[in-house]
Amino acid sequence: MVSATIDLLKKELPVEEGSLVLSKDVKTGLVLVDVVNGFCSVGAGNLAPVKPDKQISFMVKESARLAKLFCGEKWPVFAFLDSHHPDIPEPPYPPHCIAGTDEARLVPDLQWLENEANATLKCKDCIDGFLGSVEKDGSNVFVDWVKKNQIKAILVVGICTDICVLDFVCSTLSARNRRMLTPLEDVIVYSGACATFDLPVHVAKDINGALAHPQDLMHHIGLYIAKGRGARIVSEVSFAAL
């Protein structure tokens, strides 16, 4: 039933995906959204997968590959880390990624970024990383990163496609359109390096207040909405001879 629904959705709401070849001709920054244990590592917390998940595993693998390549070329990398105060809830979600716990750390394959001079790490306490980058003095860490590095395009990867990734992409596109992110021009989402969680209908119905969240369906919807807002969606990312 779910498979047939997804096939119908993709037919009625197609997402055209291109390919991206990165080169030094366009200053590009990599943005990693919430590739933390609390969302990606099996059994790590309330919102972590309960068993190995193919979509999430591939997202982590591709995110790590791109981070290595970007840092190897000294291209800028920005990583959001979901991080919450234990006494401040984030409805409708249960407690997760509590600051100072292993849940709020990058996955093992990316923890080397904690000591990487080329990477900027930003803990955020809300779904939208753009809003989560606002400091008490009104400045915005992400905006400052774009301007300091004179970034013309960002490549966005991470989790969840239809939640944190989508909210960040939409806010960034709005800020770009308002000329708040000059010289940023393109917001590019790499579909294969994005993932979301799976909560099938038959499981959700037994959880009080839960909404069903079929993984492939919501992943597609997230990409579709991002594209509708003006993001480029790509299914392949490669590097030109550098």
Side-chain angles (χ1 to χ4, degrees), residues 110-131:
L110 285 169
Q111 286 179 6
W112 57 272
L113 285 174
E114 296 172 352
N115 301 307
E116 170 59 52
N118 199 62
T120 299
L121 275 57
K122 179 70 177 90
C123 293
K124 66 179 183 66
D125 59 0
C126 62
I127 295 171
D128 187 338
F130 189 90
L131 293 179

Side-chain angles (χ1 to χ4, degrees), residues 20 22 29-36 40 58-67 70 77-80 106 110 113 124 154-161 164-166 168-169 187-195 219 223 232 234 237:
L20 176 66
L22 294 163
L30 176 66
V31 178
L32 301 151
V33 179
D34 292 343
V35 191
V36 296
C40 304
F58 188 77
M59 176 274 295
V60 169
K61 179 181 176 181
E62 281 296 277
S63 296
R65 176 182 75 90
L66 290 170
F70 269 73
V77 173
F78 193 103
F80 288 112
L106 290 166
L110 285 169
L113 285 174
K124 66 179 183 66
I154 58 169
L155 178 61
V156 184
V157 302
I159 192 168
C160 290
T161 318
C164 294
V165 172
L166 178 62
F168 167 72
V169 166
V187 176
I188 306 163
V189 178
Y190 174 21
S191 60
C194 289
H219 177 69
L223 296 173
R232 287 176 56 194
V234 299
V237 177

Side-chain angles (χ1 to χ4, degrees), residues 27-28 144-153 182-184:
K27 187 66 174 291
T28 304
D144 292 344
W145 175 77
V146 169
K147 292 184 175 182
K148 176 184 176 182
N149 291 287
Q150 288 294 288
I151 293 170
K152 289 192 173 182
T182 304
L184 184 69

